[in-house]
Structures are given as structure tokens and as C-alpha cells.
Amino acid sequence: MVEMRNAVVIDDEQDICRYISSILEEHGFTTRTANEAETGEELIRNEPPDLICLDLMMPGRTGIQLFVRLKGDKSTKQIPLVMITGIKEQLNIDWAKIAGGLRTRKPDGFIEKPVDPVRLMRVVEDVLERPRDNVQYG
Amino acid sequence: MSSSPAVPVGGSSKDGTGARRGRRFLPLFYKLSFANKILTCTLALLTFLGAAGTVVFQLVLRSRLYDEVAASTQLLAATNAQQAGEPLARGDGEQLTALAAKAVQLDDTIAYALFFDRDGEVMAHTFEWDPPAAVLREHSVPSPMGESGYRRVEILGETYLDVSAPVIAGSRGAGRIQLGVRSTRIDAFVGQLNVLFLSVLAGLTAIGLVGALVFFRRFTRPIMELTHLADDVSVGNLEVDFDFGVPVRCWAIKGCSQTDCAAYENTAVQCWFVDGTPCEGYEPRFPQKLAGCRTCEVYRAHKGDEIVQLYDSFRHMTQVLKTSRDEIERSDRFQGSLIRNSFDGIIATDETGMVRIFNRVAQNLTDYAEDEVVGRLTWDQIFTSEVRQDLKRPLFQDGSKVIFGFYCQEKAIERKDGSKVDVRASGITIREDDRHVGRVFFFQDLRELKELKEELIRSERLAATGQTVASISHSVKNILEGLRGGAYVYQRGVRTEDSQIRGEGWAMVERNIDHISSLVADLLNFARDRRPDLEPLDPNDLVSDVLQTLRPKAAALATSLETDLAPEAAPWSLDAHAMHQCLMNLVTNALDATAAVDEAWVRVSTQVTPDDELEIRVQDNGPGIAPNLGDELFSSMVTTKGSKGTGLGLLVVHKIVAEHGGIVEVDEDHAPGATFAVRLPRGPHELPIESRPAAPMLTGG
């Protein structure tokens, strides 16, 4: 029996959370969801997942702060992270600026709203297949 | 108001008249120099003294000589009287005639001799003719016997001393003898002495005058020099050259070796005028240092007589004037530079209104050159006429003085080509001792400012429109995402024949349909410019209805809904639909704020305030409102809900409350948590125009 992959989806919008987790579940993931950054971080630290889907634009910059914390922590920085964002020009984003001046890694992948299931899974598979050493730095 | 008659400067009219009279009588004297005046006075005095001395001398000397001659003649007369006693008693005329002739022959100063008997009859005389009446008349009154003396008589234009002596015969008087002595010699002698006296006096006077002339010339020369210097200073020439008094040799007196001092071995200057001398204990600069220098041995050594002191005082005065002039010139240059280079236009006028200052900005703004305006135009040819009235208005109090004018008002000025330019101007009427001395105007070109303002309004409107569109697009996008997600989950439920997943998907679709309904309602409420449809309602019913609608949401969030409703609030004039939307937004916000709070609650209360206003308070125990949001909470699309919020909710609340003539505000006294208080007056009421919020996304370009 193939071991099921584990994903954590964090988005303040409950319906989008459910939508993305539903897509992932259909592709063999078990998912846990959280609508706040703190709860999501708790889920990640309790049982590190194989994949994190994180909404960038959560109230009070909590999405960005969680991203900076996860990528700055040895125990979580290797976990593939797909950033859910409405920002199209994510390639041009100054991540150091967004992270409040901190030098940080880039997210491993981006999925832009509106979320297309096929595209989401292409990004997820791409991220998961990428060697962990070959990460990009912002 | 009557004006007082002009009074000549320098004294009363009475004094002036006296002075004029004196000048009229002594015109030449007043033209003389001071030295010549003194000389003239001295000469007049000496002349007077000489004349008086001559008269007195002549009188005294003549009198004494007369007395002497009379006394010697008296002896001669007495001698002849002894010899004539017997013949006179006998009435022997011949012997008496011989005696008289003898008396005249013996002394050539005796001009005549007469013998009178006791009755005063002439017994003998030496005249070739009858004795002159003057001689006889003089003696026609018999003198008492024994009396002698002399008197002056005139005979044929010649003066004689007529000396008489009694003639005694036995022991009784027989008559008397009169001898006449010519006074010509005496007069000639006195005249010669007078000439001698006057010559000596004139010589002494001449010597005295020459001496006085030399003395006074020397005495008044410094005064004349000072007068010329004062003339120079009075016409503004302060670079006058002084060469008076003992040269100051401070280095020698003080044993100073400061060779780099400007006063060192420099006799052309006096050290107390030199700034920055290294002497200790004095102020560094003139004139402040002078007070200390007056006690210095150098200054005391230089101090001479009154003339030297006068020179020094004059030199100090000139130096102070020079220092003050330099200071004024510096200040004038500085102020001139300020005025020329000011960013504001500056126009100043004199008391007649004629422009005297017209700076660069004023020139650029009006297109006039400076020389076309200064001394040629008056201020009212540049500013429009209403400024005249504004200049008469009290502006502010400066001590006891009231300053008249206007401050920072929008005015128009006329350009050279007749066109008008809007400016922001201030104008002040300048008065000194209640006398109008001029006006000054400051102004800024408003054209650029107005353009910038319009540009800013355009930018703000575009930004607001952009923000609104972005915010609504974001909301719509999220709702669409929810719908898409709902549809996906529903289809997955269908594919997997899992009714639970299907139900989840359908619930997501329904929820997002609710969201879009709410958004559309908010948009319509916000966009519509309408009057509220007021009807008497029980606000408590409205609150209950809203809470009933939101109870499932509250249950999902585990937030308890509490009420504290005042029964006296009914009825109140309200627009049921609008107020329902308003309360829905406030309570929904409160519920959303408590999503992450344990033992969360939202409390809605109603009450009628002492000001007879209906107050509806919506309170929660969420994290509260960030203080920096206070100002823009009701004026822009603010959301703290991330992707879930549109920022429209509170704008709609504000608009609906304003339509009811009320206010909505955040009650900061009830932190933590947020409390929104809506206060509505008892209707019916008019919609205050200024309370209508802007709707940039719909009205903006």
C-alpha cells in the first residue's frame, strides 16, 4: 500500500481551504486545514507534513510572518511550501522586503487564485519532485 | 479738528522777536566770528574806558590846576590888598591904579586887576576901557568882607580865573581886589596832557588788541575746526579726519608688546576705537569697550583741557555714528536681500500709497519691471478695490497698538496686460505715533497651488477609485473562488457518490451566494443617494431580527449573542431596510472579530439618552480596533478581515446613520474589544448635506 502524503492547507477563507484540501485529497493526500496562521503552525509542528499550502494575504500579515518563521526554522525550512496568492507578478516580488527586511528563501512554488485544480496539482507535483538541495534563495 | 498755529522752532515767538530785533540793530555784529565779536567788544570797552578816563582826567587835572593857580594868585592879590588898604580907604584912585598896573606888570599871567571900594564901586582897573560887564556883573552883588575865592568869567570869548581878595584898612574892610588870570595856558597844558594820555592809552589798546587777536585766534581755531567737521558730519560725511590732542601711545604707556595689535605703534588711531585689542578687562568692540577704557591710564593721559575733551567727545560721537551707520547698512543689505529673494511677492508703499518696494516675485507675477512700478504706481493700481476696505479692519493687537489689515486672504492682483492673477495675500497698514506711514503686502501665487490641489484631488479620486475597484474585485474574486470550490467539492461528492461531500459542496455554494448578495446590498446602499423611508418602528424588534438572522453564524463561531434592550425606545423613526443592513454589518463585524476568541460574546444594547437620542451599541470582546485606524474607519475602505473583507461595511453603516441625521463612533472607553455606538435623533429629520459620504468608485472619473 502506497503511503499517503500529508498536506497542511492554511487559508483564512474557509471555503478556499476546503476547496484546495478537496483537490489534494482527490490526488491521494490526507489534509489538515487551518484558518489562522497560529493554528496552522501548530499543525505543522505537531506533525510535519509533506506539503504546506499557505495563503500569503491573511489578515495582519500573519501569512507572511508564518512563511518567514517556517523558512527560518531548521526543522521546517525543508518542507515544500506552495504559496497561494492573488498577486500575479510573484516572480518580481522582493521577498526580503515582504519579509520585513529579513533575508529569506523564496516559496517553493506559487498557485494563483482563482485556483485551477490541474494547475495546482502540476505545481504540487513539481515542488515535491524537486531535489530539496536545489532550493532557490531570494 | 483745528490745527495749532506754527511755532518757530527753538523758542517762543517773543524770544524770536527779541532776537530778530537784536539782529536788525546789530546786523554786522552778528556776522562777525566769535573771536571778532570778543575783539570788538574789547575795543569798545577800551574806547569807552579811554574816553571816560580822559574826561575824568581832564576835569580833575583842570580843577586841580585852577585851584593851584587861584591859590598863587590869591597870595598875589593878598599882597596887593595890603598895599592897597590905605589908598582905598582914602579913595586915592591914582595910587590904586598904579598898584593895579604894577600887579599886572609883575606877573604876566595876570590879565587884569580891579579895586572895588566897600560899596562895590570900581576905584581903579587896568582895562584900557571900561571894565567888562561880565566882570562887574559877577561882582555886582557885594561879597561879605573877608571872603576870597575865584570864579571863571568869559571876556571877549576868552576864559579867565577871576580871583578876589578883601582889602583891609586898619581893622576893617575897605573893599576888595579882583585879579584876572588867563586860563589859556592851563587849558593848553591840560590839552597836551590829554594828548599824551590818549596816545599812551591808544598804544596800550593797540597792543592789547593785537594780543587779544592772536590769543582768540588760537583759542577759537579748534572750535572753528570742529564747526567744519560738524558741517561735514551733518551732510553724512563720517570719514572726517581728526588731528588734535596728544597722539595716543598706548603701547608705550602700558609697556605692551603685542605687535600684532592694530593700535601698536600706530599714532593715527586711538586704541579705544580699535576693535579686538588684546588689553584685558575691556569689552572687545567699540563703543561698548569705551566705558572700560575711560578708566585706563592711556585714556587719562590723553585727556586734556576742555577743547581736547570736546574733540574726544566729537570723535566718539562720530565713531558711534559710523558704527551705527555700518550696522544699519548691514541690516539694510540683509533685509534687502531677504525681500529680493523672498519666495513671497512683497510690495511696500509710502504714506501716499506710492510703491517703494517691489521684489522679484512681484515682478515675475505682475510682469512689471521694478522701475515701471517703484515711484510710478500706487498699490491700488495693482490690487483690486476690495483690498481698500480690508486694510481698515483691525487685524491684531501689538502691545497697546492695533494693527490694521488682513491676513492670508484670497485676492486678485492685476498684471501689466490687465489680466488678473489669484493670490493669497496679507496686507498691513503701518502706523507710527498714530500717523500713517505706509502699507506692506505679502502674497503667494495661487495658480500653481490650485493646479496642484486639483491634481491632488484627481489623484486621490483615481486612487480611491482604484482602491474601491481593487477591493471589490478582490471580494468578488474570493466569492467566485468559494463558488468554484463549492462546485468542485459538490462534483467530487457526485463522482464519489458521497452525500456528505456533496452536502459540503452545496453549503459552500450557498454561503458564497449569501456573500455576493450581501456585497451587492452593500454596494447598492453605498451608491444610492436617497432619503431614508422613515416609519415608526420598535428598534428592539429590528435588533432581534438581525440577531435571529446571524444566530447560525454566531453558533458556528461559538460566540454568544447578548442583548440589553430598553423598552422605552419604541417607537422611533427609522428606515427598516437600511437600518437592518446597518445593524447586520455592525453585528457581522463584531462576530468576525470574535472568531479566534475563547468565550466570545457580542452584546447589542439600546437606550434613549438624556439628549433624547436613540443609542444602539454593538460591543464585542474581540481584539479591538487598532488606534491608527480611528480616523479612516468610516471614510475609506478599511478591512482587517484579509480576503474576507470588502471594507464597504462601515462605509455603508456611516452612510445609513448619516441619512438618519445621526452619528456612529467607536467608543474607546470600553476596550478591550470594540464598541460601536450609533446615535439617532428622534425623527423626522432632514438629511444634512455634509453628512453624505463620498462614493468615489461611482462618482469618480
Side-chain angles (χ1 to χ4, degrees), chain A residues 11-16 18-19 21-23 25-27 36 55 57-60 86 88 112-117, chain B residues 474 477-478 481-482 484-486 488-489 492 495-496 501 504 507-509 511-512 515 595-596 640-644:
Chain A
D11 195 310
D12 63 311
E13 190 58 52
Q14 191 187 339
D15 289 343
I16 294 172
R18 184 71 193 95
Y19 177 32
S21 63
S22 186
I23 297 168
E25 282 166 12
E26 211 172 7
H27 289 83
E36 295 126 26
D55 181 14
M57 304 298 285
M58 288 208 289
K88 282 182 179 174
E112 192 184 301
K113 291 178 185 176
V115 177
D116 176 61
Chain B
H474 188 68
K477 205 169 173 180
N478 275 329
E481 196 71 357
R484 187 195 296 264
Y488 182 87
V489 174
R492 187 176 153 224
R495 280 199 303 276
T496 56
I501 293 175
E504 265 181 52
M508 285 167 70
V509 171
R511 221 174 9 248
N512 284 286
H515 282 166
T640 58
K641 299 184 195 173
S643 57
K644 283 188 287 190

Side-chain angles (χ1 to χ4, degrees), chain B residues 20-287:
Chain B
R20 280 197 298 275
R21 189 182 297 130
R23 288 192 188 101
R24 197 165 60 238
F25 285 132
L26 296 166
L28 287 174
F29 182 78
Y30 280 100
K31 287 181 182 173
L32 293 176
S33 67
F34 181 62
N36 287 340
K37 276 196 184 82
I38 293 175
L39 283 174
T40 307
C41 289
T42 309
L43 183 62
L45 184 64
L46 288 174
T47 306
F48 172 75
L49 288 175
T54 306
V55 170
V56 170
F57 175 77
Q58 190 170 6
L59 286 175
V60 171
L61 184 65
R62 195 184 293 268
S63 174
R64 289 290 300 168
L65 282 173
Y66 282 172
D67 285 349
E68 286 295 320
V69 170
S72 64
T73 308
Q74 194 83 44
L75 284 174
L76 187 64
T79 308
N80 281 303
Q82 276 183 345
Q83 293 174 0
E86 191 113 348
L88 193 59
R90 279 197 317 271
D92 186 351
E94 283 183 15
Q95 195 171 350
L96 288 170
T97 302
L99 278 172
K102 188 181 172 186
V104 172
Q105 284 168 359
L106 281 175
D107 190 337
D108 60 354
T109 61
I110 304 298
Y112 62 87
L114 292 98
F115 284 100
F116 294 86
D117 65 8
R118 191 181 296 162
D119 297 326
E121 289 295 324
V122 177
M123 294 302 293
H125 64 83
T126 57
F127 292 103
E128 290 178 5
W129 55 88
D130 288 339
V135 177
L136 298 177
R137 191 168 56 246
E138 288 294 316
H139 297 282
S140 60
V141 179
S143 300
M145 291 305 293
E147 183 188 354
S148 66
Y150 71 90
R151 58 197 66 193
R152 295 173 68 189
V153 295
E154 290 261 341
I155 301 169
L156 297 175
E158 199 167 347
T159 305
Y160 297 86
L161 291 182
D162 189 65
V163 179
S164 74
V167 178
I168 307 298
S171 58
R172 52 186 295 214
R176 58 193 177 113
I177 180 173
Q178 277 186 217
L179 295 178
V181 182
R182 284 190 191 87
S183 67
T184 315
R185 283 193 181 177
I186 298 169
D187 291 340
F189 179 65
V190 169
Q192 284 170 357
L193 281 178
N194 268 341
V195 169
L196 183 65
F197 176 78
L198 284 174
S199 300
V200 171
L201 190 67
L204 289 175
T205 303
I207 292 168
L209 278 177
V210 171
L213 189 64
V214 172
F215 175 74
F216 283 120
R217 288 281 182 212
R218 286 187 65 82
F219 181 75
T220 56
R221 186 175 57 84
I223 298 176
M224 289 304 296
E225 284 181 5
L226 273 178
T227 307
H228 293 144
L229 290 172
D231 285 344
D232 280 352
V233 170
S234 69
V235 295
N237 177 18
L238 296 179
E239 308 303 326
V240 285
D241 189 25
F242 288 90
D243 184 19
F244 196 84
V246 183
V248 174
R249 299 174 184 275
C250 58
W251 63 95
I253 294 171
K254 291 178 85 85
C256 175
S257 57
Q258 300 280 350
T259 53
D260 55 345
C261 172
Y264 188 79
E265 291 189 350
N266 183 359
T267 53
V269 296
Q270 291 169 315
C271 53
W272 49 90
F273 294 126
V274 178
D275 290 342
T277 51
C279 317
E280 288 179 4
Y282 306 129
E283 294 287 331
R285 290 172 67 86
F286 180 83

